Amino acid sequence: MAIVVDLDRRLAERRLSVGEFAALVGITPANLAVLKNGRAKAVRFTTLDAICRVLDCQPGDVLRWVPDEAEGDRPLS
């Protein structure tokens, strides 16, 4: 499974730089880069809350799930 983080599009829509956005959210630009590039293993709810507050959006507007090609549409059970 792959969780895709769609922050680039949201930042472009708001005309925010990575540095500005990181400062508003309260994380380092390096940690924001890890999140944006899909290398994060977890996201704190407080960070997700701050992202949504700054972007005035819902979590589903910045996170989406894409199944692995090998998994296809296989059921969980």
Side-chain angles (χ1 to χ4, degrees), residues 17-37:
S17 71
V18 171
E20 287 176 298
F21 184 64
L24 290 169
V25 170
I27 62 176
T28 66
N31 282 340
L32 180 58
V34 168
L35 182 60
K36 280 181 10 132
N37 294 328

Side-chain angles (χ1 to χ4, degrees), residues 45-71:
F45 281 160
T46 54
T47 302
L48 185 56
D49 174 64
I51 288 169
C52 290
R53 266 190 290 104
V54 169
L55 295 177
D56 189 29
C57 69
Q58 294 295 312
D61 295 332
V62 292
L63 299 174
R64 62 187 164 92
W65 176 75
V66 177
D68 289 339
E69 288 182 29
E71 285 183 27

Side-chain angles (χ1 to χ4, degrees), residues 1-17:
M1 110 181 124
I3 301 296
V4 178
V5 181
D6 289 321
L7 281 175
D8 285 329
R9 184 172 43 105
R10 294 286 173 180
L11 294 180
E13 289 170 358
R14 304 277 189 306
R15 296 184 181 169
L16 283 171
S17 71

